[in-house]
């Protein structure tokens, strides 16, 4: 389920931030908030929302056996067209609005663009917001809002998101895009993140996602760096001499 995959990616990001990334890179990312613990939770919340564009008619329509159950629950699937936008593209707009609703008005566009780029392209503003047909009717809007609210509760996002940071430079956006892409890639390893029936709550699944993320990172070979003190240039690069500089 989408909710499980969202937490899978966030769990991978949690381990990457806490254990794998270098201290300098970790500091760069956590600088999104003067309170680094709150910044850590904010980043997990944002990464978890990377696939919000999948909670739309066009994406859910891809699975034929899901169509009847969705229609029975009031989700409109009748106006899906082959040319409907990719979930990363439409997700950028949906995520931007979700972040704005959480008090991140000045930075919502940059943050949304960063995490929506997890398929290799940064969404552009050129196409404009999706038409209501593509984002879905009231049932779709309601379920997305409920999902965002549940994630905010899980990650304890009570105040405005990163309230003391009015802007983000390009380096931060690119770094966050990289973190999200790697978290999504590792979090999609189906040999580790096996199918899970819809959980009773996000909280009940979060602990399992963290355990699975640790296993997935080990399988992927992503582990903390172990620098060796006192190693000379000659020992690191046999046969070469350093430039005078």
């Amino acid at each position: 389920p989408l909710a499980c995959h969202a937490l899978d990616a966030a769990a991978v990001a949690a381990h990457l931030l806490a254990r794998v990334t270098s201290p300098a890179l970790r500091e760069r990312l956590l600088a999104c908030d003067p309170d680094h613990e709150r910044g850590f939770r904010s980043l997990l919340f944002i990464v978890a929302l990377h696939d919000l564009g999948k909670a739309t008619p066009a994406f859910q329509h891809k699975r034929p056996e899901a169509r009847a159950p969705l229609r029975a629950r009031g989700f409109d699937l009748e106006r899906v067209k082959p040319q409907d936008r990719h979930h990363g593209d439409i997700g950028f707009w949906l995520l931007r609005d979700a972040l704005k609703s959480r008090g991140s008005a000045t930075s919502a566009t940059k943050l949304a663009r960063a995490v929506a780029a997890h398929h290799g392209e940064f969404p552009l503003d050129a196409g404009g917001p999706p038409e209501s047909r593509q984002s879905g009717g009231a049932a779709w809007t309601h379920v997305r809002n409920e999902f965002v609210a549940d994630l905010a509760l899980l990650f304890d996002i009570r105040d405005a998101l990163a309230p003391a940071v009015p802007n983000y430079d390009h380096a931060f956006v690119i770094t966050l895009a990289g973190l999200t892409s790697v978290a999504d890639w590792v979090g999609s390893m189906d040999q580790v993140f096996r199918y899970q029936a819809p959980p009773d709550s996000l909280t009940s699944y979060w602990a399992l996602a963290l355990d699975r993320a640790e296993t997935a990172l080990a399988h992927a070979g992503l582990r903390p760096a172990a620098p060796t003190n006192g190693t000379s240039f000659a020992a690191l690069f046999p046969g070469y001499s350093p430039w005078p500089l």
Side-chain angles (χ1 to χ4, degrees):
L2 175 57
C4 292
H5 173 64
L7 294 191
D8 294 340
V12 173
H15 285 301
L16 287 171
L17 284 168
R19 300 169 52 200
V20 177
T21 56
S22 67
L25 184 58
R26 184 181 308 119
E27 178 75 19
R28 183 75 180 84
L29 284 163
L30 295 181
C32 68
D33 195 300
D35 180 341
H36 282 191
E37 192 273 334
R38 186 172 61 186
F40 180 77
R41 289 185 283 104
S42 296
L43 287 173
L44 299 188
F45 171 68
I46 295 167
V47 170
L49 288 170
H50 72 284
D51 267 341
L52 189 61
K54 288 183 176 178
T56 54
F59 190 86
Q60 296 300 323
H61 189 267
K62 293 176 183 292
R63 196 165 183 86
E65 64 270 29
R67 295 171 190 168
L70 284 170
R71 289 190 182 100
R73 289 168 172 79
F75 292 96
D76 177 17
L77 292 168
E78 308 307 321
R79 298 182 292 165
V80 173
K81 297 180 180 179
Q83 68 270 26
D84 282 345
R85 291 152 77 170
H86 184 270
H87 72 267
D89 184 12
I90 193 171
F92 159 66
W93 296 97
L94 298 175
L95 181 54
R96 188 195 67 163
D97 291 345
L99 294 177
K100 282 185 175 181
S101 72
R102 291 279 154 186
S104 185
T106 57
S107 53
T109 298
K110 288 187 176 181
L111 293 173
R113 202 185 309 280
V115 298
H118 59 276
H119 285 282
E121 294 182 359
F122 285 91
L124 303 176
D125 298 354
E131 55 185 288
S132 58
R133 178 188 63 77
Q134 292 189 54
S135 56
W140 294 99
T141 301
H142 174 74
V143 78
R144 286 193 297 265
N145 289 342
E146 288 291 298
F147 181 49
V148 173
D150 285 348
L151 285 173
L153 186 64
L154 176 68
F155 294 118
D156 196 22
I157 308 298
R158 292 171 291 181
D159 305 320
L161 207 57
V165 183
N167 208 349
Y168 294 95
D169 61 22
H170 294 304
F172 180 89
V173 172
I174 295 295
T175 306
L176 177 58
L179 173 72
T180 306
S181 297
V182 174
D184 179 49
W185 163 60
V186 176
S188 299
M189 294 173 63
D190 57 8
Q191 65 268 44
V192 177
F193 297 98
R194 295 177 298 279
Y195 175 79
Q196 185 78 20
D200 293 333
S201 69
L202 296 186
T203 303
S204 67
Y205 182 72
W206 178 236
L208 177 59
L210 287 169
D211 287 343
R212 288 177 166 180
E214 191 170 15
T215 301
L217 284 167
H219 278 304
L222 289 167
R223 57 182 63 88
T228 303
N229 294 326
T231 303
S232 67
F233 184 94
L236 288 170
F237 306 103
Y240 292 89
S241 300
W243 284 37
L245 180 61

